[in-house]
């Protein structure tokens, strides 16, 4: 117990003293996860909207697969990306393994299904309500997509925040494809795992505190956003 | 004034020829035929479930007939959709401000930003919604939502405006405001084709009445004649205020 309180006070000291190494790690975490979420949003929003609005054979199975992909185990994603990017893999020539780019790719793969699946649901619900009006005013397919994405903006933002929450907290995929290299690919979750196993509880706890704070704020933001939208738009 | 016989941009005559609409083995619209020749206000009158909403959707091209054909000035409903406005029984309010709801229709038509601003402000004025321009549309009262829906349908100087029970669920004050708007809309030369189950409203607004019951068109006559003495016994009972089945 004493160990724990010692570690906790050191952790606080580290965080409040703005320790340089600590903040490098936090910075890289944010950079990688935000980039991954951006990529996932750019792919996931239109893909989800298109899936909601188009009709083609095999669409329903595809939606089921997409929803299932929301629960992809990060280590498996890490493993597959590892195999693709490793020297002998099909994308090995790019030399991306153990770089932040590889970590962005892995997290994008994890987050894109979340954003796409939630975007599909949001757009499909709104479409049911808006369809006749949009048809009556002669809205084209792209205009229709734009209208529905815009009017679903609050729910979509919630989806994006959920994606960010998953990316920033995930350890399996970034550990495998990033390699946890100091000053290069070390992020909050991988550092916590490593330092805990080395018995370095202070830095692990310090990062843990920051991570929890981030996760809680993101969730709170998502909730507030949902409530605000509900109050404003009914 | 509204009874002039201008051709309303070639959308008239509108011809409905032996149209049926079936869902399963039930005929919701049963072999209906009629012609609309001029821009008088036409009211489709009938009790709940008569098929008024289905008929109006068929007219606008949102539903395709199971049998028969509908033409507007010789063209299909779908091809002429943009020259008509439609106000639904339960209007769709986009999750945007009142002004943005109006502007959205203009954007859909590819109208540039500069022209949009003037048109939005004119439409807000027309519908008496100026002071509510920045309110979220979904927080408007029922009557205000109907007026917004009419303003949206009115925007592009439509030759014809279809309105589906525009005052169902409104109190007398809101009903009067909506009816005045409809009369003004008709006075611009637009053909009004609306539905109602409210006999008093039909008396106030109709220049021509169509009586629809169980998906069948039982009467189609000038309003004065219709109210003086309907030929159809069900129609007679209905305007006498009796329950019909
Ligand atoms: N898509 C559909 N499938 C099956 N039945 C339908 C469908 N749409 C409408 N109906 C039925 O067709 C009948 C006519 O419906 P419609 O909405 O046109 O009536 P209405 O005259 O507009 O009634 P109200 O005055 O209540 O609005 C009703 O019995 C309704 O339940
Ligand atoms: Mg109806």
């Amino acid at each position: 117990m004493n160990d724990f309180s010692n570690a906790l006070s050191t952790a606080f000291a580290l965080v409040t003293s703005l320790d340089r190494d600590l903040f490098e790690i936090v910075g890289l975490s944010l950079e990688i996860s935000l980039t991954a979420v951006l990529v996932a949003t750019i792919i996931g929003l239109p893909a989800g909207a298109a899936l909601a609005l188009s009709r083609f054979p095999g669409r329903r199975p595809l939606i089921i697969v997409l929803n299932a992909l929301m629960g992809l185990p990060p280590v498996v994603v890490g493993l597959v990306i590892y195999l693709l990017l490793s020297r002998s893999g099909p994308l090995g020539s790019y030399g991306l393994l153990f770089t932040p780019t590889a970590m962005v790719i892995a997290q994008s793969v994890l987050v894109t299904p979340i954003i796409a699946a939630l975007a599909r649901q949001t757009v499909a619900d709104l479409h049911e309500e808006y369809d006749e009006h949009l048809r009556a005013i002669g809205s084209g397919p792209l205009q229709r997509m734009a209208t529905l994405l815009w009017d679903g903006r609050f729910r979509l933002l919630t989806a994006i925040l959920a994606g960010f929450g998953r990316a920033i907290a995930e350890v399996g995929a970034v550990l495998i494809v990033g390699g946890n290299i100091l000053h290069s690919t070390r992020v909050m979750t991988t550092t916590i795992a490593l330092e805990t196993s080395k018995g370095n509880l202070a830095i692990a706890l310090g990062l843990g505190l920051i991570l929890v704070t981030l996760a809680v704020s993101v969730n709170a933001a998502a909730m507030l956003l949902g409530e605000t939208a509900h109050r404003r738009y009914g | 004034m509204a009874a002039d016989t201008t051709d309303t941009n070639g959308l008239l005559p509108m011809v409905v020829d032996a149209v049926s609409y079936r869902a399963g083995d039930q005929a919701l619209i049963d072999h209906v035929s009629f012609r609309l020749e001029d821009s008088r206000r036409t009211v489709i009158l009938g009790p709940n479930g008569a098929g008024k909403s289905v008929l109006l959707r068929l007219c606008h091209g949102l539903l395709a007939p199971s049998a028969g054909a509908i033409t507007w000035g010789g063209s299909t409903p779908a091809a002429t959709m943009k020259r008509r406005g439609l106000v639904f029984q339960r209007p769709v309010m986009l999750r945007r401000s009142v002004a943005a709801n109006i502007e959205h229709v203009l954007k859909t038509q590819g109208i540039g930003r500069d022209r949009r601003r003037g048109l939005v402000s004119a439409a807000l004025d027309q519908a008496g919604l100026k002071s509510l321009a920045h309110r979220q549309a979904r927080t408007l009262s029922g009557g205000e939502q109907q007026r917004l829906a009419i303003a949206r349908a009115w925007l592009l100087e439509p030759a014809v405006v279809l309105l589906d029970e525009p005052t169902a669920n409104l109190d007398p004050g809101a009903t009067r405001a909506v009816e005045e708007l409809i009369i003004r809309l008709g006075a611009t030369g637009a053909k009004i084709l609306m539905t109602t189950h409210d006999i008093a409203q039909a008396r106030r607004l109709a220049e021509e009445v169509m009586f629809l019951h169980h998906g069948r068109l039982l009467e189609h006559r000038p309003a004065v004649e219709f109210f003086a003495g309907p030929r159809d016994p069900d129609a007679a009972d209905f305007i006498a205020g009796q329950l019909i089945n």
Side-chain angles (χ1 to χ4, degrees):
Chain A
M1 205 58 236
N2 215 13
D3 261 7
F4 181 76
S5 55
N6 270 345
L8 205 60
S9 58
T10 323
F12 265 118
L14 273 173
V15 175
T16 48
S17 71
L18 307 176
D19 179 82
R20 182 187 280 264
D21 279 355
L22 195 78
F23 278 86
E24 185 186 302
I25 290 167
V26 174
L28 186 66
S29 285
L30 287 174
E31 194 183 317
I32 286 172
S33 295
L34 286 173
T35 312
V37 167
L38 183 70
V39 172
T41 302
I42 291 170
I43 299 170
L45 285 191
L51 198 53
L53 298 180
S54 55
R55 297 283 172 273
F56 54 89
R59 176 174 166 273
R60 276 195 59 78
L62 192 61
I63 290 171
I64 292 169
V65 169
L66 182 64
N67 284 324
L69 287 181
M70 287 206 284
L72 269 183
V75 280
V76 175
V77 170
L79 178 60
V80 172
I81 304 286
Y82 180 95
L83 293 173
L84 290 173
L85 296 183
S86 67
R87 279 269 164 258
S88 51
L91 305 173
S93 54
Y94 295 104
L96 291 176
L97 198 60
F98 305 135
T99 65
T101 308
M103 299 160 83
V104 168
I105 294 172
Q107 290 197 344
S108 302
V109 171
L110 277 174
V111 175
T112 302
I114 296 179
I115 295 182
L118 295 177
R120 189 206 65 82
Q121 189 64 55
T122 302
V123 170
D125 290 349
L126 268 183
H127 183 236
E128 201 171 291
E129 186 187 329
Y130 284 13
D131 181 40
E132 282 203 314
H133 172 64
L134 296 180
R135 280 170 61 201
I137 63 172
S139 203
L142 283 180
Q143 289 173 326
R144 186 173 279 256
M145 201 191 266
T147 300
L148 294 167
L149 285 175
W150 176 253
D151 277 36
R153 59 201 177 276
F154 282 95
R155 272 176 68 190
L156 294 172
L157 224 81
T158 308
I160 292 168
L161 287 176
F164 178 74
R166 171 132 159 113
I168 197 83
E170 167 285 316
V171 55
V174 279
L175 188 61
I176 294 176
V177 304
N180 198 31
I181 302 161
L182 187 62
H183 299 310
S184 164
T185 61
R186 195 163 283 188
V187 291
M188 285 191 278
T189 53
T190 58
T191 312
I192 292 172
L194 177 78
E195 299 299 334
T196 304
S197 66
K198 288 201 307 196
N200 252 336
L201 296 185
I203 188 151
L205 262 177
L207 286 169
L209 282 174
I210 296 175
L211 193 54
V212 165
T213 310
L214 263 172
V216 168
S217 337
V218 165
N219 271 309
M223 216 180 88
L224 284 178
L225 207 64
E227 282 178 3
T228 310
H230 193 75
R231 229 178 309 113
R232 275 186 69 186
Y233 299 102
Chain B
M1 170 67 214
D4 72 271
T5 48
T6 49
D7 70 343
T8 49
N9 286 329
L11 279 195
L12 298 180
M14 181 238 192
V15 181
V16 173
D17 183 20
V19 164
S20 295
Y21 183 81
R22 275 183 282 274
D25 55 0
Q26 208 190 351
L28 305 182
I29 292 296
D30 192 3
H31 211 78
V32 165
S33 298
F34 61 88
R35 287 171 68 90
L36 300 179
E37 308 273 359
D38 56 46
S39 63
R40 280 182 296 179
R41 286 192 300 271
T42 303
V43 173
I44 302 173
L45 178 65
N48 289 139
K52 303 182 295 292
S53 297
V54 171
L55 182 57
L56 224 53
R57 283 183 165 84
L58 287 163
C59 290
H60 196 46
L62 292 173
L63 291 175
S66 312
I70 299 176
T71 52
W72 291 91
S75 309
T76 65
T80 48
M81 206 177 254
K82 286 186 182 180
R83 287 192 279 152
R84 285 187 304 271
L86 174 63
V87 178
F88 289 104
Q89 189 165 352
R90 280 182 288 269
V92 173
M93 295 286 118
L94 303 188
R95 286 159 177 75
R96 309 172 183 214
S97 71
V98 170
N101 260 270
I102 294 174
E103 188 169 13
H104 176 264
V105 176
L106 298 171
K107 256 192 258 179
T108 299
Q109 307 301 322
I111 291 168
R113 180 181 297 267
D114 291 344
R115 260 194 78 207
R116 287 207 299 265
R117 193 170 313 151
L119 287 169
V120 168
S121 132
L124 286 169
D125 259 346
Q126 235 161 15
L129 293 169
K130 195 114 237 184
S131 61
L132 298 172
H134 301 293
R135 271 272 290 283
Q136 287 301 319
R138 290 164 63 86
T139 66
L140 295 180
S141 73
E144 290 159 349
Q145 290 196 1
Q146 284 295 353
R147 280 188 280 139
L148 172 54
I150 293 172
R152 260 185 343 200
W154 193 340
L155 268 181
L156 301 160
E157 296 171 7
V160 178
V161 180
L162 312 174
L163 303 106
D164 195 7
E165 304 228 26
T167 64
N169 307 320
L170 300 189
D171 70 21
T175 298
R176 176 147 16 88
V178 168
E179 287 184 1
E180 277 168 11
L181 202 53
I182 293 170
I183 289 171
R184 274 196 282 137
L185 177 52
T188 65
K191 165 79 184 176
I192 302 285
L193 176 60
M194 62 176 280
T195 72
T196 187
H197 66 262
D198 178 348
I199 300 144
Q201 178 167 66
R203 282 184 196 275
R204 288 192 296 270
L205 293 181
E207 292 170 309
E208 180 179 56
V209 173
M210 292 199 259
F211 182 71
L212 192 71
H213 187 38
H214 291 321
R216 291 199 309 275
L217 184 60
L218 300 179
E219 297 239 12
H220 180 189
R221 285 198 290 154
V224 187
E225 282 178 31
F226 177 82
F227 288 114
R231 293 190 197 109
D232 182 80
D234 280 336
D237 285 351
F238 186 66
I239 64 170
Q242 289 171 24
L243 295 173
I244 56 174
N245 51 39

